[in-house]
Amino acid sequence: MSEKTFTVLDLLSLELKGHDALNLQCIAGRKGLAREIVVPDINRPGLALSGFLESFAYQRVQLFGRGEHAYIQKLHNEGNEDSIRALFSYMMPCVVFTYGLTPSDSFIQIAEDSGCAVLQTDLESTDFSTRLLRVFSNIFAPRVSLHGVLVDVYGVGILLKGSSGVGKSETALELVERGHRLVADDIVKIRCVNGNTVLGEGANSLLSHHMEIRGLGIINVSQLYGVGAIREQKEIQLVVTLEEWNPEKIYDRLGTETKMTDLLGVKIPELEIPVKPGRNLPIIIEAAAMNERLKSMGYYSAREFNQNVLKWIESGEAQAAYYSAEDKY
């Protein structure tokens, strides 16, 4: 969840457009706009309205559709609103009426007395629920900031990591020059959505598409290469760690085993690429991106190579080649 508390007023203040818009307005209980939304979920209070308050999920946003609206109108006409008062005795964050429905005056008065905000939207209940849960999934997602560079290479989100000065920004700049897109440089803010997707973006929307190139200074990628060279966010599907070449270290030469790294509880494939003069890192990373796309389609180059070698050995051709080579000496 975000470190900053999220209130009902924050929900109303969200600038959402198109299919994400909630179309909310406050029609009563403005004193309750400061209440915090702690549980990112929705509850339909049908049972609570009927008087059954055991296991009442009061900490959630309470959604009133046509059925609930018709029932509170029935209670109002009968002059029996004790269950509504019992409902508002709980510290609910807010109640929302869908379909543009307006509750009775007595319902609004009870909400005002309890200090609970009453919101209204013209959306259908199902549509509003889907949109609100999507908003909650984004706002309450676990998040952290990392030092690195995030690029989109052939549709694969690649997080470049490594010590300062190893060449992350220079490699990303060459990738942009080759037609790929920059998401964020230096500081990447990541968040986990739906428990299995890690999204990355710049820590600051005004600075995320600027790059620091040693010897050159700060450059604006969107101004130099156009808006087609940047994007706001991207799912992280591969982590590439750049490190100085260590002649004593044994690096993976076949790629039959996939190393994974943990980002906010999600396992992401990771590659360690040694850096030394003469190595063309952008081409290597492009190949890694395309290879990762092949893996997502079920094709593993290293495994196929390994199987072909085993078939070659089993066929007897390897033994024939070995003995024929011995005969020469």
Side-chain angles (χ1 to χ4, degrees):
M1 190 179 71
S2 171
E3 295 180 359
K4 179 181 179 298
T5 58
F6 187 72
T7 66
V8 180
L9 180 59
D10 293 328
L11 180 63
L12 277 174
S13 303
L14 291 176
E15 296 182 0
L16 304 172
K17 300 178 181 178
H19 296 293
D20 293 325
L22 299 176
N23 301 342
L24 285 171
Q25 60 175 336
C26 181
I27 59 176
R30 294 189 177 276
K31 291 185 295 183
L33 292 178
R35 288 190 181 183
E36 293 183 22
I37 298 177
V38 179
V39 178
D41 208 343
I42 300 171
N43 182 59
R44 300 293 292 266
L47 286 174
L49 285 171
S50 67
F52 184 78
L53 293 169
E54 294 182 22
S55 302
F56 174 41
Y58 67 92
Q59 290 182 313
R60 304 179 182 181
V61 172
Q62 305 299 313
L63 184 63
F64 286 73
R66 287 174 174 169
E68 291 84 0
H69 179 264
Y71 189 72
I72 62 175
Q73 284 297 125
K74 175 178 177 295
L75 294 177
H76 174 71
N77 295 335
E78 294 174 352
N80 180 18
E81 296 175 331
D82 292 339
S83 60
I84 297 178
R85 293 188 179 88
L87 187 77
F88 279 99
S89 66
Y90 290 82
M91 282 292 292
M92 302 177 294
C94 64
V95 300
V96 180
F97 283 84
T98 55
Y99 295 98
L101 298 171
T102 302
S104 62
D105 293 339
S106 56
F107 184 96
I108 290 179
Q109 187 58 51
I110 294 173
E112 289 279 2
D113 295 339
S114 65
C116 181
V118 179
L119 311 182
Q120 182 188 70
T121 178
D122 58 354
L123 298 174
E124 299 178 358
S125 297
T126 303
D127 190 14
F128 176 77
S129 300
T130 302
R131 297 187 186 194
L132 184 59
L133 290 176
R134 190 162 60 237
V135 169
F136 282 162
S137 177
N138 179 38
I139 291 174
F140 287 82
R143 60 191 69 207
V144 69
S145 295
L146 299 175
H147 176 66
V149 182
L150 181 57
V151 287
D152 178 357
V153 181
Y154 295 129
V156 178
I158 300 180
L159 177 64
L160 301 178
K161 295 171 57 181
S163 59
S164 180
V166 77
K168 299 185 297 296
S169 296
E170 290 79 1
T171 301
L173 182 61
E174 176 63 22
L175 288 169
V176 171
E177 178 70 31
R178 296 171 67 89
H180 306 292
R181 293 189 285 182
L182 173 71
V183 182
D185 180 60
D186 193 29
I187 301 297
V188 181
K189 183 171 64 177
I190 66 173
R191 66 182 189 277
C192 178
V193 180
N194 299 326
N196 58 5
T197 302
V198 178
L199 296 178
E201 61 184 354
N204 187 314
S205 59
L206 299 177
L207 305 177
S208 58
H209 298 135
H210 291 71
M211 299 182 71
E212 178 192 354
I213 306 297
R214 285 174 173 79
L216 181 61
I218 303 296
I219 63 171
N220 188 327
V221 174
S222 61
Q223 292 290 335
L224 284 176
Y225 297 95
V227 294
I230 61 172
R231 64 177 302 165
E232 298 302 320
Q233 67 176 12
K234 176 64 181 173
E235 178 185 354
I236 299 176
Q237 297 154 289
L238 179 65
V239 176
V240 173
T241 300
L242 304 179
E243 61 178 41
E244 296 289 345
W245 185 287
N246 182 359
E248 298 180 357
K249 183 175 180 179
I250 300 176
Y251 294 100
D252 187 7
R253 300 183 64 177
L254 293 179
T256 53
E257 296 183 2
T258 302
K259 181 181 178 182
M260 308 295 285
T261 186
D262 186 281
L263 293 181
L264 296 175
V266 180
K267 299 296 183 181
I268 307 292
E270 180 181 15
L271 298 176
E272 291 182 350
I273 298 180
V275 178
K276 74 173 185 177
R279 302 205 83 197
N280 194 323
L281 294 180
I283 289 181
I284 294 175
I285 292 173
E286 284 181 335
M290 290 187 286
N291 193 45
E292 192 63 31
R293 292 190 64 181
L294 282 176
K295 288 181 180 180
S296 67
M297 293 185 284
Y299 179 83
Y300 291 79
S301 303
R303 293 180 186 175
E304 186 194 33
F305 174 79
N306 195 37
Q307 291 172 359
N308 289 338
V309 170
L310 291 175
K311 289 179 181 178
W312 179 62
I313 294 173
E314 292 172 357
S315 68
E317 294 180 11
Q319 294 180 6
Y322 174 77
Y323 288 123
S324 62
E326 277 193 340
D327 293 341
K328 295 179 181 180
Y329 298 99

